[in-house]
């Protein structure tokens, strides 16, 4: 459920060993959602070990091996109280760290925003979609892509 001022409710589950600034990640998720005009919403964030995301990647995407982030949108738009149930973003920080050895925390921030944008309907299959999504990722995460 959201709080009284209409901010999103963020549920964070940390099931992995890498250090995380959970408060900073919740704040980033909140800023991203509010920046996209989403206030009354619920979002689940899970930070998992490589083995767990490998299993999820195979089960839900049909692709073997680990990935860095997965997004699972909910089927229902609202929970009955006018609160939009967005879904789940699952991130494997150990996998993410291999993408950016110099700043693994920046990579986790980027993937968090990336996963949220997918839940909000953004995609990057076509160049025009990719440019719009990448611009938003950079704006919210502060991380520029090469």
């Amino acid at each position: 459920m959201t709080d009284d001022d209409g901010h999103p409710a963020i549920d964070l589950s940390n099931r992995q060993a890498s250090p995380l600034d959970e408060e900073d990640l919740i704040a980033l998720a909140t800023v991203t959602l509010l920046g996209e005009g989403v206030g009354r919403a619920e979002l689940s964030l899970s930070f998992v070990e490589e083995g767990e995301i490998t299993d999820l990647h195979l089960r839900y995407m049909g692709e073997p091996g680990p990935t860095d982030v997965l997004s699972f949108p909910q089927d229902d738009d609202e929970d009955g109280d006018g609160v939009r149930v967005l879904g789940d973003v699952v991130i494997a920080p150990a996998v993410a760290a291999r993408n950016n050895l110099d700043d693994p925390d920046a990579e986790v921030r980027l993937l968090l925003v990336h996963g949220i944008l997918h839940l909000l309907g953004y995609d990057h299959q076509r160049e025009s979609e990719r440019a719009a999504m990448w611009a938003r990722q950079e704006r919210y995460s502060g991380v520029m892509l090469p």
Side-chain angles (χ1 to χ4, degrees), residues 58-121:
L58 182 60
R59 177 185 292 167
Y60 293 102
M61 305 302 289
E63 298 177 12
T67 189
D68 47 16
V69 62
L70 291 168
S71 295
F72 298 98
Q74 287 291 103
D75 292 332
D76 299 325
D77 286 338
E78 294 184 356
D79 69 356
D81 293 330
V83 176
R84 186 172 173 193
V85 181
L86 297 173
D88 306 296
V89 174
V90 181
I91 298 171
V95 177
R98 292 195 295 264
N99 297 339
N100 186 344
L101 297 174
D102 293 331
D103 194 348
D105 292 337
E107 188 69 16
V108 168
R109 288 192 315 273
L110 179 72
L111 293 172
L112 173 61
V113 173
H114 184 91
I116 290 170
L117 291 174
H118 273 304
L119 292 180
L120 297 178

Side-chain angles (χ1 to χ4, degrees), residues 30-46:
T30 301
V31 164
T32 301
L33 290 170
L34 292 175
E36 291 297 310
V38 179
R40 292 185 48 80
E42 294 179 359
L43 171 66
S44 172
L45 304 176
S46 296

